[in-house]
Amino acid sequence: MTARAVQPGSVIGVLGGGQLGRMFAMAARRMGYRVHTLAPEHDTPTGQIADVEVVASYDDVDRIREFARGVDVVTFEFENVSAAAVAAAEAHAIVRPNGRALEVAQHRIREKTYLQNLGLPVTPFAAVRSEVDLEDGIRKVGRPAVLKTATFGYDGKGQVRLGPHDAPINAWDQLGRQDAILEAFIDFERELSVVAARAVDGSVAAFVPIDNTHDRHILDVSIAPANVAPEIAAQAVEIATAVLQGLEYIGVLCVEFFLARDGRLLINEIAPRPHNSGHLTFDACRTSQFEQQVRAVCGWPLGSPELLQPAAMANLLGDLWAISEPNWAGALSMPNVKLHLYGKTVPRRGRKMGHLTVLAPTAREARARVLAARTALSP
Ligand SMILES: Nc1ncnc2c1ncn2[C@@H]1O[C@H](COP(=O)(O)OP(=O)(O)O)[C@@H](O)[C@H]1O
Ligand SMILES: [Mg+2]
């Protein structure tokens, strides 16, 4: 294993410039790596931490090729890089995770079909590429349902819910009639995620399942460990492991699940990178998801994913800045509160600006405390 490892002092290239890349770069620099990042903007959250920031479009195959030539290994913090760009990078550097994983994850129809073919439980779905598909799809998945664009959706963007009286065609019109996936709307008891990593030697390490609540389709609060039966937790980890093995994946990946009220555990989607729900691992686990990503992509043994204490994480969206600068002292005066900010200068509504983490004797208490800390930020 060590023979193929990317040695400290080498350069890791990160495609993408957001907060995931930022926290990855922090972990990488702590372990003695240099970091180059490529994104379409200047002074990105990742760029502020990286040694070198390249400003280029993700479609600019020439610039991506040049970028890959200047680094020892390429990874992603943003999954919507074109297949052509990934292929260009693969011609000049090791790319982890591999292009196949990206291809699967960036297209919702491919993703659900792939997972279903692996024999894994997914939300009932139908591919929609025509009006006939749409009608057949409604018959197959029933109502309520949700129609999602096949590509480029995030934080609930590109999704329309279909109630009992909504005309499916109007929903598809709203999405510009692009390729879409129709899914049964799951009456879930809770949403869970499993963040896990696979190393070059095929070994897998999973963090405990995390319980996630969303607000306006944006992740709001995560707590660990999730309050589910041990069999459910084990099943979720087993499914995540099967995804990592199926894709021959190297790196950190997240599987998002619905735990339906009838007890079924269904995959909602996968993210081929560290995940917002895993941010609490930074403060709460023996190894963070970002260090784990450094270890995996550089070919080292994985670290222990052990949860040291129950934890909760609350996202800080741009909305919090609507009236004035948040009252930082209000939260920082509370014991155990950790503040993470991503260096973004424009606090748009719904934009992820940072998060708070709290550790406590129980996950329930951690949740109450992190919510209190976030409330204290409001001026
Ligand atoms: N089929 C579904 N049934 C119930 N809730 C859903 C469904 N699809 C999405 N949602 C809700 O919307 C959120 C965001 O949807 P998701 O498919 O994860 O897209 P993305 O995170 O890429 O925006 C989910 O976490 C969940 O809360
Ligand atoms: Mg999601």
Side-chain angles (χ1 to χ4, degrees):
M1 188 184 220
T2 35
R4 281 190 285 170
V6 178
Q7 297 295 319
S10 306
V11 184
I12 307 176
V14 181
L15 295 178
Q19 60 270 16
L20 299 171
R22 179 186 183 88
M23 290 181 271
F24 171 83
M26 287 171 165
R29 292 193 70 152
R30 195 174 68 175
M31 290 174 72
Y33 290 95
R34 291 176 184 274
V35 178
H36 293 190
T37 175
L38 181 147
E41 298 97 36
H42 176 70
D43 193 38
T44 62
T46 311
Q48 291 167 8
I49 306 294
D51 296 86
V52 174
E53 181 176 49
V54 175
V55 181
S57 150
Y58 298 122
D59 304 324
D60 190 336
V61 173
D62 290 337
R63 298 296 300 282
I64 289 187
R65 188 177 297 120
E66 189 187 319
F67 180 77
R69 276 204 200 106
V71 307
D72 297 286
V73 59
V74 171
T75 188
F76 305 89
E77 71 99 48
F78 170 78
E79 65 259 41
N80 286 314
V81 179
S82 72
V86 176
E90 280 177 334
H92 297 280
I94 310 168
V95 177
R96 290 174 178 158
N98 60 45
R100 173 82 186 121
L102 232 63
E103 202 187 326
V104 167
Q106 65 188 203
H107 193 281
R108 293 189 196 275
I109 301 171
R110 271 205 294 269
E111 175 181 60
K112 289 240 160 51
T113 307
Y114 177 81
L115 296 168
Q116 196 170 47
N117 290 343
L118 277 183
L120 301 175
V122 297
T123 309
F125 73 99
V128 174
R129 295 189 175 93
S130 67
E131 285 186 35
V132 176
D133 285 352
L134 187 58
E135 283 158 29
D136 290 350
I138 290 282
R139 268 193 295 278
K140 182 177 162 200
V141 311
R143 289 173 190 249
V146 54
L147 190 66
K148 306 178 181 177
T149 55
T151 53
F152 293 109
Y154 70 98
D155 288 345
K157 293 189 173 61
Q159 300 194 15
V160 183
R161 210 190 131 148
L162 277 165
H165 307 294
D166 298 324
I169 197 70
N170 292 346
W172 200 33
D173 280 339
Q174 270 185 58
L175 301 179
R177 297 204 176 210
Q178 48 181 313
D179 284 2
I181 190 168
L182 185 74
E183 295 178 7
F185 193 84
I186 305 300
D187 177 25
F188 54 77
E189 182 195 304
R190 58 183 79 236
E191 290 190 77
L192 303 175
S193 58
V194 172
V195 177
R198 183 172 174 276
V200 167
D201 69 356
S203 58
V204 169
F207 294 100
V208 291
I210 299 165
D211 179 313
N212 305 311
T213 46
H214 293 78
D215 183 20
R216 292 178 284 148
H217 298 281
I218 305 172
L219 183 65
D220 184 39
V221 175
S222 292
I223 63 174
N227 180 19
V228 291
E231 309 82 72
I232 296 289
Q235 199 186 330
V237 168
E238 204 176 290
I239 291 170
T241 304
V243 174
L244 287 163
Q245 300 293 17
L247 288 167
E248 296 182 8
Y249 194 91
I250 297 173
V252 170
L253 172 145
C254 176
V255 182
E256 298 179 13
F257 296 94
F258 297 127
L259 178 58
R261 282 190 204 281
D262 60 14
R264 283 176 304 159
L265 186 62
L266 303 169
I267 301 180
N268 168 32
E269 63 171 348
I270 61 176
R273 48 171 172 75
H275 190 260
N276 194 167
S277 65
H279 289 357
L280 54 77
T281 63
F282 223 138
D283 297 303
C285 293
R286 181 92 50 205
T287 308
S288 76
Q289 63 170 350
F290 303 104
E291 177 181 339
Q292 203 72 303
Q293 177 81 329
V294 175
R295 286 173 177 247
V297 306
C298 292
W300 300 116
L302 298 176
S304 161
E306 183 193 356
L307 182 73
L308 300 171
Q309 233 195 317
M313 185 266 343
N315 269 338
L316 305 179
L317 302 184
D319 311 47
L320 202 59
W321 277 251
I323 296 169
S324 66
E325 184 73 13
N327 174 19
W328 301 120
L332 291 172
S333 62
M334 296 177 169
N336 300 326
V337 172
K338 292 287 184 184
L339 172 66
H340 299 251
L341 289 172
Y342 308 147
K344 298 181 185 177
T345 48
V346 186
R348 278 193 302 274
R349 191 174 139 78
R351 187 175 199 206
K352 291 171 180 168
M353 302 295 289
H355 66 270
L356 298 172
T357 316
V358 172
L359 308 189
T362 65
R364 200 189 156 89
E365 196 174 327
R367 182 174 189 279
R369 288 199 203 168
V370 86
L371 291 177
R374 190 169 61 181
T375 302
L377 289 178
S378 290

